[in-house]
């Protein structure tokens, strides 16, 4: 039964609790976006005046080997990490046919009957490794996010094959495997620029936990907020990053900002809705394990003369992230050291 679109509780029950999601809402025949999904004016961005990101994607194939090409690409990665915190890469090692197949499979998954997807709702999912839902923390958000997702935590191949959805598990595992080499290259460049030569054990600690998310949403594009004045624009400006064929988007993330003592930027970012297109995205989240201690790298602190962030256990950061609705980069504040 379709919800009363003018009643937030009715929409919430239909979309979130029953697991029909945004897809079910759209399929019910709505002609306007329900009020429950409309962001407050202060949370919206001016898409018309956003700055278009027009730098070409970074060619990661040039990292294979030594010489001027390698050094130039490494410098491009570092510059992007120090300014915008986002960049696009091509020749990344993920087969292009796999990316196309993933998009098709993701659309097929979200087109399944609601009851097939609802078995993975948090309260009933057969495994804590898999969660289906709508929005980020729907119970705490001012407005629901216009997206459905299924999140899969990776522990090992056997558990993934046992618990991940049958329709997508094999392809997602191949996607994850083919992405790890790229992740390691980017970490080696990023940490190397900070005066650290990471060995395999250090890399393994930093990528100890992996999650994949299938997202279906009405997306008009990715927008990133400037954390400081740069050649792209002024602090507070929004940058539009349009999709580039065959490219992957890289987000520096909070942990690299902390490890670099603030040199690398973990930027606030959002996606904006479109009334015409349904798209999917399949981000991979690479992070330390819950028990890992995180702090600015000693080599960076020695050079800077002061630590901007205190040491903490990664699980404390995650608890902070899920304690409230998304609010910019607030989760980073708990680790900041206040000036004396």
């Amino acid at each position: 039964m379709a919800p009363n679109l003018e009643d937030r509780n009715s929409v919430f029950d239909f979309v979130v609790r029953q697991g029909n999601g945004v897809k079910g809402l759209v399929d019910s025949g709505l002609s306007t976006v329900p009020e429950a999904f409309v962001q407050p004016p202060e949370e919206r961005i001016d898409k018309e005046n956003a700055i278009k990101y027009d730098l070409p994607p970074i060619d990661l194939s040039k990292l294979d080997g030594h010489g001027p090409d390698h050094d130039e690409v490494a410098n491009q990665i570092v510059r992007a990490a120090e300014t915008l915190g986002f960049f696009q890469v091509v020749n990344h090692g993920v087969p292009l046919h796999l990316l196309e197949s993933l998009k098709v499979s993701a659309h097929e998954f979200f087109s399944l009957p609601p009851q097939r997807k609802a078995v993975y709702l948090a309260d009933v999912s057969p495994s804590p490794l898999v969660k289906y839902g709508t929005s980020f923390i729907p119970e705490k958000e001012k407005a629901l996010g216009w997206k459905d997702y299924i999140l899969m935590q990776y522990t090992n191949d056997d558990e993934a094959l046992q618990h991940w959805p049958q329709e997508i598990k094999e392809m997602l595992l191949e996607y994850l495997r083919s992405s790890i080499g790229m992740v390691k290259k980017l970490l080696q460049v990023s940490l190397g620029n900070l005066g650290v030569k990471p060995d395999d054990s250090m890399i393994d600690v930093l990528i100890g936990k992996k999650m994949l998310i299938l997202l279906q949403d009405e997306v008009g594009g990715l927008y990133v907020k400037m954390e400081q004045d740069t050649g792209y624009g002024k602090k507070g400006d929004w940058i539009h990053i349009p999709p580039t064929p065959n490219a992957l988007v890289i987000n520096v993330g909070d942990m690299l900002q902390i490890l670099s003592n603030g040199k690398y930027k973990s930027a606030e970012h959002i996606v904006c809705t479109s009334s015409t297109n349904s798209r999917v995205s399949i981000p991979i989240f690479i992070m330390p394990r819950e028990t890992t201690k995180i702090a600015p790298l000693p080599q960076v602190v020695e050079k800077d003369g002061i630590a901007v962030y205190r040491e903490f256990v990664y699980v404390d950061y995650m608890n902070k992230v899920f304690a409230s609705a998304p609010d910019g980069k607030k989760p980073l504040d708990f680790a900041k050291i206040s000036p004396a």
Side-chain angles (χ1 to χ4, degrees):
M1 181 177 176
N4 176 359
L5 299 182
E6 297 180 0
D7 183 341
R8 182 183 176 92
N9 289 332
S10 177
V11 171
F12 189 95
D13 188 63
F14 178 85
V15 171
V16 177
R17 295 195 182 96
Q18 296 177 27
N20 290 288
V22 171
K23 179 68 166 59
L25 200 60
V26 171
D27 289 348
S28 71
L30 84 169
S31 57
T32 60
V33 175
E35 190 67 26
F37 291 90
V38 177
Q39 295 290 337
E42 65 274 13
E43 300 291 334
R44 304 173 198 170
I45 69 169
D46 183 359
K47 293 191 291 184
E48 297 299 321
N49 290 317
I51 301 167
K52 184 177 179 181
Y53 181 85
D54 56 5
L55 290 180
I58 298 172
D59 184 352
L60 293 188
S61 68
K62 295 180 179 179
L63 285 178
D64 299 329
H66 303 282
D69 285 349
H70 173 281
D71 294 345
E72 174 56 27
V73 168
N75 287 335
Q76 290 173 5
I77 293 167
V78 168
R79 284 198 300 270
E82 291 178 339
T83 53
L84 192 58
F86 273 79
F87 52 97
Q88 298 185 84
V89 297
V90 291
N91 293 323
H92 35 63
V94 180
L96 300 184
H97 69 82
L98 175 60
L99 293 177
E100 292 304 313
S101 298
L102 277 168
K103 294 176 189 176
V104 173
S105 295
H107 279 296
E108 291 175 348
F109 176 82
F110 286 111
S111 295
L112 291 171
Q115 60 271 24
R116 176 68 186 88
K117 295 174 288 188
V119 297
Y120 295 110
L121 287 170
D123 293 341
V124 297
S125 178
S127 169
L129 301 179
V130 184
K131 176 188 175 184
Y132 171 74
T134 294
S135 206
F136 185 63
I137 308 178
E139 296 82 1
K140 299 181 180 181
E141 293 173 350
K142 297 176 184 177
L144 297 175
W146 193 251
K147 61 178 177 286
D148 298 331
Y149 69 87
I150 183 161
L151 182 153
M152 290 145 288
Q153 294 190 48
Y154 176 83
T155 50
N156 56 61
D157 284 9
D158 289 343
E159 289 199 348
L161 290 171
Q162 180 180 354
H163 298 295
W164 290 7
Q166 180 70 32
E167 298 84 356
I168 51 178
K169 61 186 181 183
E170 295 276 4
M171 201 170 295
L172 285 174
L173 271 176
E174 186 180 352
Y175 176 46
L176 178 61
R177 293 187 196 109
S178 62
S179 301
I180 293 302
M182 172 191 65
V183 171
K184 290 181 177 181
K185 284 182 182 179
L186 292 172
L187 278 174
Q188 286 164 353
V189 169
S190 303
L191 296 175
N193 177 65
L194 299 174
V196 177
K197 193 170 184 179
D199 56 19
D200 290 345
S201 62
M202 182 179 184
I203 295 289
D204 289 343
V205 167
L206 294 176
I207 65 171
K209 184 174 181 180
K210 308 168 187 71
M211 293 192 301
L212 297 92
I213 300 182
L214 284 187
L215 288 165
Q216 174 163 277
D217 46 24
E218 303 289 329
V219 178
L222 170 66
Y223 292 80
V224 178
K225 192 174 185 179
M226 293 297 306
E227 297 296 314
Q228 61 185 21
D229 292 350
T230 71
Y232 304 120
K234 302 186 299 296
K235 181 178 180 180
D237 285 346
W238 287 94
I239 310 293
H240 177 217
I241 303 183
T244 299
N246 304 328
L248 295 177
V249 177
I250 306 299
N251 173 8
V252 166
D254 289 354
M255 294 307 102
L256 269 181
Q257 177 163 327
I258 291 169
L259 289 170
S260 69
N261 206 33
K263 284 182 171 56
Y264 297 149
K265 308 305 177 188
S266 176
E268 180 181 354
H269 56 283
I270 62 172
V271 290
C272 290
T273 60
S274 162
S275 61
T276 56
N277 297 317
S278 175
R279 295 179 57 203
V280 296
S281 58
I282 311 168
I284 297 176
F285 293 87
I286 304 291
M287 61 202 78
R289 295 191 185 278
E290 285 88 345
T291 56
T292 303
K293 291 182 179 180
I294 301 294
L297 294 165
Q299 296 91 331
V300 184
V301 174
E302 182 179 359
K303 184 177 179 181
D304 293 348
I306 188 171
V308 179
Y309 300 98
R310 64 176 176 83
E311 183 180 81
F312 60 91
V313 179
Y314 184 70
V315 69
D316 294 335
Y317 162 83
M318 291 301 294
N319 290 338
K320 189 71 175 178
V321 168
F322 289 101
S324 58
D327 186 8
K329 303 306 299 181
K330 284 290 181 66
L332 279 171
D333 289 348
F334 94 106
K336 274 189 175 179
I337 296 174
S338 301

